[in-house]
Amino acid sequence: MDQTTENRTQLINELDTARETVTACGAALRHDLDLSAKFRRGVRAHPWAWFGGAAALGLLLSKIRLTNRKTAVKVENKQSKAEKPAKAAFVLLLLRFGLDVAKPVMLRWIKTKYVDRDRALRVEANSKLT
């Protein structure tokens, strides 16, 4: 039994050592992967280098042309400019004529569909009450 308790205490000590090692390695890894803290430390340590680099990058990006700008010139016939308003006026004239013709027909249809039917229903209801 003495040997088993000795083995247990040895295993417990090894586990404690391994836990301490893993904890220390995890803390070091978190410190290495903390990029925002590294960036802040770098800017605090060398501010002029960072601001100069940012200014140079901004100047470089402003001088680069991202697209080739081409201007297209449209050549239009003078006749086509005169034809467009004439066509629009003709279409409006036809639309107005069509609506003027259709207005009485639509009003008669609405009257027969709704007003006359409503009157007939009221008369029928009154005759049933008396």
Side-chain angles (χ1 to χ4, degrees), residues 17-63:
T17 308
R19 284 188 190 123
E20 289 173 3
T21 307
V22 168
T23 304
C25 289
L29 182 64
R30 275 192 294 278
H31 180 69
D32 287 342
L33 294 179
D34 193 6
L35 297 177
S36 63
K38 280 186 177 182
F39 178 74
R40 278 189 239 117
R41 281 193 304 266
V43 171
R44 282 188 197 127
H46 309 287
W48 291 106
W50 279 96
F51 292 134
L57 181 65
L59 181 66
L60 179 70
L61 289 177
S62 70
K63 296 297 179 186

Side-chain angles (χ1 to χ4, degrees), residues 77-90:
N77 296 335
K78 291 183 181 181
Q79 293 175 350
S80 66
K81 283 186 177 182
E83 290 175 3
K84 287 182 182 179
K87 287 181 182 178
F90 184 69

Side-chain angles (χ1 to χ4, degrees), residues 28-118:
L29 182 64
R30 275 192 294 278
H31 180 69
D32 287 342
L33 294 179
D34 193 6
L35 297 177
S36 63
K38 280 186 177 182
F39 178 74
R40 278 189 239 117
R41 281 193 304 266
V43 171
R44 282 188 197 127
H46 309 287
W48 291 106
W50 279 96
F51 292 134
L57 181 65
L59 181 66
L60 179 70
L61 289 177
S62 70
K63 296 297 179 186
I64 294 175
R65 279 190 129 176
L66 297 177
T67 58
N68 292 334
R69 295 182 183 147
K70 295 180 183 179
T71 55
V73 178
K74 292 184 179 180
V75 179
E76 295 184 15
N77 296 335
K78 291 183 181 181
Q79 293 175 350
S80 66
K81 283 186 177 182
E83 290 175 3
K84 287 182 182 179
K87 287 181 182 178
F90 184 69
V91 168
L92 287 175
L93 182 68
L94 286 177
L95 183 64
R96 182 172 178 183
F97 177 73
L99 289 175
D100 286 342
V101 170
K103 186 177 179 180
V105 174
M106 290 186 321
L107 287 175
R108 184 176 298 151
W109 178 77
I110 290 171
K111 183 181 175 192
T112 58
K113 181 87 172 169
Y114 297 105
V115 176
D116 290 344
R117 189 179 75 183
D118 188 39

